[in-house]
């Protein structure tokens, strides 16, 4: 397979016309040097050299002319390299573009992108045929190459204060129109008030000791987002697909998770489970079940989901189970590389990433069992990379029956917002039925006791009586 037979995309006449315009027209000079960030957009090497010299003259505050261009080229010994005196003279008569200069520069940029994509494809082909290389590392490298092309095109693009302030007002207006939310609703009123919803490019860390309900919290959050017809990608390194499905059914039906998986339920409860599937049976959630995954694989799956169907939220359960690959020296540093990479991914895709993490036993030594940001300092750079850090705590689990203010801890989950780059910190109290994987705002009334449901003889009855084409169940 030969990828280099065809002539690279180029337009020599436009290149010469742009350079001629820069030599002869002040407006073209200002427009060109503002729009062209790299001489790479010129295909002919001589044209690249000439552009760089013209830019140098302009940056020195000197008037651009053919004579001064010749002087600068002669100083560098490049006169013959660009075609000699006659070529430089002819260039000044190639034709001035004036007001059309921006359009022609855009054409040159598009041609340059095509050349870069071809070069990237050739390199990827050569790498892909090397079977000793890891396929996910190849995908990662491919994505980096494409991102680099885009960043080169828009590198150092400045914005005026007019543009910035208009954007600020637009964000504020959107938040006003959306009930104070500047991101996707969490589904919980107190959460939305505190953190303003799940915002694009944010890394949100939910960290806790085992049995505090961080996985239940993440699943409930994901379900709430899904019910808004937003697409979610869940990386599960601990639970199986079946366990996740059963937990979601339990949270919707009000049937105990442990009794459901053991089959210790009534016919009525089976009916409740069947009916609950109708509310959550859709394709807005995708689950990647794996016992080991690398950051490169997370990136690849996320980019793929975003491109194929769109993606609004990523959830990863949990940080310490991600394969760091070759160690960078210490576990702390390895985890820091992961969190920095996930923050970068959130920014690249402009979507929120919810990252679960395990806390050390240091929390257990405190009387109130409340985690602190300092508990994260042995887990890489989570504290620095995260935009929001939340510590779920169930005092009831530790035998604490009431808080200092006398509030009962029965069915209480305290979500401690310890860091919030975009707002206030503090506690959020949620109703939590951990046996049912049910997490709601305080004041939530359980509907289960008086709910009338159909009674199915077996689970196939649900699929006989319901459309199972995986259309959204709203």
């Amino acid at each position: 397979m030969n990828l280099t037979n065809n002539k690279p995309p180029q337009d020599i006449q436009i290149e010469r016309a742009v350079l001629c315009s820069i030599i002869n027209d002040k407006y073209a000079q200002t427009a060109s040097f503002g729009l062209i960030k790299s001489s790479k957009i010129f295909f002919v090497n001589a044209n690249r050299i000439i552009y760089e010299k013209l830019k140098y003259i302009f940056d020195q505050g000197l008037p651009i002319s053919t004579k001064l261009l010749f002087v600068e080229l002669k100083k560098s010994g490049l006169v013959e390299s660009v075609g000699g005196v006659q070529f430089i003279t002819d260039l000044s008569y190639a034709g001035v573009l004036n007001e059309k200069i921006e359009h022609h520069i855009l054409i040159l940029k598009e041609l340059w992108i095509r050349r870069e994509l071809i070069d990237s494809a050739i390199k990827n082909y050569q790498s892909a045929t090397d079977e000793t290389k890891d396929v996910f590392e190849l995908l990662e490298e491919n994505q980096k190459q494409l991102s680099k092309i885009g960043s080169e095109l828009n590198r150092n693009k400045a914005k005026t204060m007019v543009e910035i302030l208009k954007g600020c007002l637009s964000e504020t207006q959107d938040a006003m129109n959306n009930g104070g939310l500047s991101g996707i609703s969490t589904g919980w009123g107190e959460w939305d008030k505190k953190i303003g919803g799940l915002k694009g490019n944010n890394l949100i860390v939910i960290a806790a000791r085992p049995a505090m309900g961080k996985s239940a919290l993440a699943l409930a959050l994901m379900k709430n987002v899904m019910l808004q017809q937003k697409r979610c990608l869940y990386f599960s390194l601990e639970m199986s697909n079946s366990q996740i499905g059963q937990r979601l059914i339990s949270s919707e039906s009000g049937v105990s998770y442990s009794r459901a998986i053991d089959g210790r339920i009534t016919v009525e409860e089976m009916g409740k489970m069947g009916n609950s599937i109708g509310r959550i049976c859709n394709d807005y959630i995708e689950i990647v079940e794996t016992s080991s995954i690398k950051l490169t694989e997370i990136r690849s799956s996320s980019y793929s989901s975003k491109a194929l169907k769109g993606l609004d939220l990523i959830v990863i359960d949990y940080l310490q189970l991600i394969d760091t690959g070759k160690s960078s020296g210490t576990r702390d540093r390895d985890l820091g590389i992961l969190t920095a990479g996930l923050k970068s991914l959130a920014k690249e895709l402009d979507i929120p990433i919810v990252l679960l993490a395990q806390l050390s036993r240091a929390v257990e030594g405190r009387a109130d069992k409340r985690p602190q940001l300092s508990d994260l300092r042995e887990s890489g750079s989570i504290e620095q990379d995260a935009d929001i850090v939340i510590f779920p705590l169930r005092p009831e689990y530790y035998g604490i029956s009431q808080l200092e203010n006398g509030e009962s801890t029965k069915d209480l989950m305290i979500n401690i917002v310890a860091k919030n780059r975009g707002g206030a910190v503090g506690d959020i109290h949620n109703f939590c039925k951990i046996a049912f994987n049910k997490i709601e705002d305080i004041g939530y009334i359980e509907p289960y006791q008086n709910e009338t449901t159909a009674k199915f003889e077996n689970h196939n009855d649900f699929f006989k009586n319901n459309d199972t084409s995986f259309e959204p169940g709203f």
Side-chain angles (χ1 to χ4, degrees):
M1 180 177 179
N2 190 338
L3 301 177
T4 60
N5 284 337
N6 296 328
K7 186 178 178 182
Q10 58 187 278
D11 194 317
I12 308 304
Q13 291 303 114
I14 289 182
E15 290 188 15
R16 287 172 60 84
V18 168
L19 293 174
C20 175
S21 299
I22 293 174
I23 292 171
N24 293 290
D25 186 78
K26 288 186 176 181
Y27 171 79
Q29 293 167 13
T30 304
S32 298
F33 296 135
L35 292 172
I36 300 174
K37 302 302 180 184
S38 170
S39 61
K40 292 177 184 178
I41 72 167
F42 295 94
F43 175 73
V44 178
N45 188 55
N47 293 340
R48 291 183 188 177
I49 294 172
I50 289 171
Y51 172 79
E52 289 168 0
K53 291 300 178 183
L54 292 172
K55 179 72 163 56
Y56 174 78
I57 294 169
F58 182 83
D59 289 343
Q60 299 304 306
L62 300 172
I64 291 177
S65 66
T66 306
K67 183 177 180 180
L68 200 49
L69 172 62
F70 174 78
V71 170
E72 290 300 325
L73 288 168
K74 188 175 181 179
K75 283 182 185 178
S76 305
L78 295 171
V79 173
E80 296 306 319
S81 298
V82 301
V85 176
Q86 190 60 49
F87 181 85
I88 298 170
T89 303
D90 291 345
L91 185 62
S92 64
Y93 296 103
V96 178
L97 296 168
N98 293 328
E99 72 278 359
K100 297 179 182 178
I101 188 76
E102 292 91 349
H103 172 68
H104 287 79
I105 289 173
L106 180 59
I107 291 174
L108 293 184
K109 284 186 175 183
E110 290 177 349
L111 292 170
W112 170 73
I113 290 173
R114 292 180 185 278
R115 294 196 298 270
E116 289 292 299
L117 289 173
I118 290 170
D119 288 344
S120 178
I122 293 171
K123 290 175 183 175
N124 288 331
Y125 171 73
Q126 293 169 341
S127 296
T129 56
D130 184 352
E131 295 184 2
T132 64
K133 294 188 175 181
D134 182 83
V135 67
F136 291 103
E137 290 180 0
L138 292 177
L139 285 171
E140 171 82 357
E141 186 58 35
N142 184 25
Q143 289 161 359
K144 284 182 179 178
Q145 289 172 5
L146 293 176
S147 296
K148 184 179 179 182
I149 293 171
S151 64
E152 282 285 338
L153 189 62
N154 298 297
R155 185 165 50 94
N156 300 328
K157 183 179 180 182
K159 285 189 175 183
T160 66
M161 282 305 297
V162 172
E163 293 173 305
I164 293 169
L165 295 178
K166 278 185 177 180
C168 292
L169 287 177
S170 178
E171 289 175 6
T172 302
Q173 184 69 54
D174 289 343
M176 287 176 61
N177 295 338
N178 201 25
L181 284 177
S182 52
I184 302 168
S185 173
T186 63
W188 302 311
E190 292 304 312
W191 279 60
D192 288 345
K193 288 178 186 177
K194 183 72 74 176
I195 67 173
L198 305 172
K199 302 169 188 174
N201 78 45
N202 271 10
L203 177 62
I204 302 160
V205 173
I206 297 176
R209 290 293 295 149
M212 288 300 101
K214 59 181 179 295
S215 292
L217 183 63
L219 285 175
L221 180 62
M222 181 178 67
K223 187 191 74 173
N224 291 346
V225 170
M226 174 270 291
L227 291 173
Q228 300 169 60
Q229 302 186 37
K230 303 291 185 183
R231 295 196 176 276
C232 310
L233 181 60
Y234 192 100
F235 292 93
S236 178
L237 284 77
E238 193 170 38
M239 291 188 291
S240 68
N241 287 337
S242 176
Q243 288 173 318
I244 292 171
Q246 289 282 11
R247 285 172 182 260
L248 288 173
I249 293 173
S250 178
S251 71
E252 272 301 295
S253 66
V255 176
S256 167
Y257 168 75
S258 60
R259 289 198 301 108
I261 59 176
D262 291 341
R264 294 180 290 109
I265 59 173
T266 65
V267 173
E268 182 181 5
E269 287 174 324
M270 187 67 195
K272 290 180 179 180
M273 292 177 68
N275 284 340
S276 72
I277 291 176
R279 295 190 290 272
I280 59 177
C281 188
N282 59 71
D283 66 351
Y284 281 96
I285 292 177
E286 290 184 327
I287 299 170
V288 177
E289 176 201 339
T290 177
S291 60
S292 177
I293 194 169
K294 295 179 180 179
L295 178 60
T296 52
E297 296 172 273
I298 292 174
R299 288 179 59 88
S300 178
S301 295
S302 300
Y303 267 95
S304 177
S305 292
K306 175 93 171 178
L308 293 175
K309 294 183 178 180
L311 188 58
D312 301 292
L313 174 68
I314 295 173
V315 180
I316 303 170
D317 184 7
Y318 57 90
L319 171 65
Q320 285 86 350
L321 294 181
I322 301 175
D323 184 357
T324 58
K326 185 178 179 180
S327 177
S328 62
T330 65
R331 179 63 173 164
D332 177 72
R333 190 176 299 172
D334 291 342
L335 293 177
I337 292 172
L338 290 178
T339 55
L342 291 171
K343 173 58 182 175
S344 177
L345 179 62
K347 291 175 71 175
E348 291 167 26
L349 297 179
D350 192 27
I351 60 175
I353 294 180
V354 173
L355 174 64
L356 274 58
Q358 195 90 278
L359 287 179
S360 69
R361 289 187 176 86
V363 178
E364 311 282 355
R366 301 186 189 111
D368 61 3
K369 313 300 181 185
R370 284 177 67 92
Q372 302 169 2
L373 284 175
S374 59
D375 296 325
L376 293 171
R377 285 173 191 158
E378 292 182 1
S379 300
S381 54
I382 297 180
E383 186 181 349
Q384 289 77 29
D385 295 325
D387 296 282
I388 296 172
V389 176
I390 298 172
F391 298 125
L393 171 65
R394 292 195 302 117
E396 186 180 14
Y397 174 82
Y398 291 109
I400 302 172
S401 59
Q402 64 180 31
L403 303 180
E404 290 183 358
N405 62 2
E407 180 183 354
S408 171
T409 62
K410 182 174 175 55
D411 298 331
L412 174 67
M413 174 182 279
I414 303 174
N415 286 296
I416 305 163
V417 181
K419 178 182 179 181
N420 185 3
R421 193 165 279 159
V425 297
D427 292 359
I428 302 172
H429 288 197
N430 286 99
F431 168 86
C432 173
K433 275 282 190 184
I434 203 70
F436 303 100
N437 282 265
K438 192 75 175 177
I439 298 172
E440 297 288 351
D441 284 318
I442 291 292
Y444 170 80
I445 299 174
E446 294 181 85
Y448 310 134
Q449 288 79 0
N450 299 319
E451 185 177 289
T452 302
T453 58
K455 296 182 180 180
F456 298 129
E457 291 299 324
N458 60 64
H459 72 279
N460 289 321
D461 290 335
F462 167 76
F463 294 101
K464 287 177 183 177
N465 293 286
N466 292 273
D467 178 18
T468 59
S469 60
F470 290 95
E471 290 298 319
F474 305 108

